[in-house]
């Protein structure tokens, strides 16, 4: 599993405050803790409150890289904010440009811009593209898969390798009225998206969206994670500090024959 640590996000009050106060320590602690917990990448999202999002992105990237070399996932739907992060990022070990839709009313070419920026960032640079277009976030299976097909063919057209492409079918809170059909729709979409190219594009979701506002957050997150892994999802933006969740990742990998079974598979997975 390619695990992207979600914790450096201005949506969290402590991160929002740290950005406002330029308090590096809070950010560096989160970077180290998530790295120790097994994050493959660290998501970096300035949130909506930052006064100058480009400056905030650059500051976050610089602060993180002072303490660890875990590759980063620069998370913004604004090309200028991604570009600001890329100025500071060390992309040698890889980098992800996270959260472009296929297109936007105000920016028809946004996905092309992300592909161009990724190409300039180096051969390991990846993109997470959302199954979202100028009409917004689709609720049904077919529109999600249709947008994913457009994403894959646009990438092919530009010679952008499917191994550098992550598709995100966008999971939304299950607690919202009439949203309970959505987790099932996401699973069905994942099932179909994996056949859009050979090799399949990577697939990811922002798992914690699912349980926003709900009780039993960790339980909801980890059960759905196991279900999605069973359908072929190979990445997720998650709380890597949630040990129960990480145990589900390890067990799912073992049950899907991605890790050899041994009595100590849990310890082996966590590097113990
Ligand atoms: N897809 C992609 N990228 C994404 C998302 C996605 N990036 C952002 C987000 N969604 C994934 N990351 C988070 C991070 C935190 C939470 C949810 C998703 C979260 N935060 C607490 C909350 O809102 O309840 C904050 C609580 C606090 O203030 O402490 O749940 O879908 N590609």
């Amino acid at each position: 599993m390619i695990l992207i640590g979600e914790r450096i996000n201005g949506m969290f009050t402590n991160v929002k405050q740290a950005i406002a106060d330029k308090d590096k320590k809070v950010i560096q602690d989160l970077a180290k803790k998530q790295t120790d917990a097994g994050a493959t990448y660290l998501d970096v999202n300035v949130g909506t409150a930052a006064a100058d999002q480009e400056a905030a992105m650059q500051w976050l990237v610089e602060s993180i890289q002072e303490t660890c070399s875990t590759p980063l996932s620069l998370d913004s739907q604004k090309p200028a904010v991604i570009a600001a992060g890329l100025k500071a990022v060390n992309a040698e070990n890889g980098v992800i440009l996270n959260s472009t839709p296929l297109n936007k009313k105000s920016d028809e070419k946004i996905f092309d811009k992300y592909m161009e920026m990724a190409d300039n960032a180096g051969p390991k640079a990846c993109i997470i593209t959302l199954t979202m277009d100028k009409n917004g976030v689709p609720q049904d299976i077919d529109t999600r898969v249709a947008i994913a097909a457009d994403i894959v063919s646009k990438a092919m057209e530009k010679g952008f390798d499917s191994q550098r492409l992550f598709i995100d079918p966008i999971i939304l809170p299950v607690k919202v009225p009439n949203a309970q059909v959505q987790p099932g729709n996401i699973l069905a979409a994942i099932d179909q998206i994996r056949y859009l190219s050979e090799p399949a594009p990577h697939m990811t979701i922002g798992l914690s969206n699912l349980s926003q506002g709900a009780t039993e957050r960790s339980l909801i997150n980890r059960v759905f994670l196991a279900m999605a892994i069973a359908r072929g999802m190979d990445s997720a933006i998650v709380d890597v500090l949630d040990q129960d969740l990480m145990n589900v990742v390890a067990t799912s990998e073992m049950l899907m024959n991605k890790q050899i079974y041994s009595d100590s598979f849990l310890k082996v997975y966590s590097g113990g």
Side-chain angles (χ1 to χ4, degrees), residues 158-178:
K158 298 274 171 185
F160 196 86
D161 195 332
S162 66
Q163 287 305 95
R164 293 169 63 202
L165 182 64
F166 291 67
I167 294 182
D168 179 342
I170 313 181
I171 186 93
L172 295 168
V174 69
K175 193 183 172 174
V176 170
N178 302 319

Side-chain angles (χ1 to χ4, degrees), residues 6 9 11-13 43 45 75 98-99 128 130 168 170-171 204-206 208-209 212-213 217 237:
E6 72 178 14
N9 187 319
M11 194 197 295
F12 290 98
T13 4
D43 200 54
N45 184 319
D75 183 0
N98 177 17
S99 284
I128 298 175
L130 312 172
D168 179 342
I170 313 181
I171 186 93
T204 198
I205 54 169
S208 298
N209 299 356
Q212 268 172 338
R217 287 200 69 169
I237 304 156

Side-chain angles (χ1 to χ4, degrees), residues 19 21 244:
I19 294 171
D21 300 345
D244 290 332

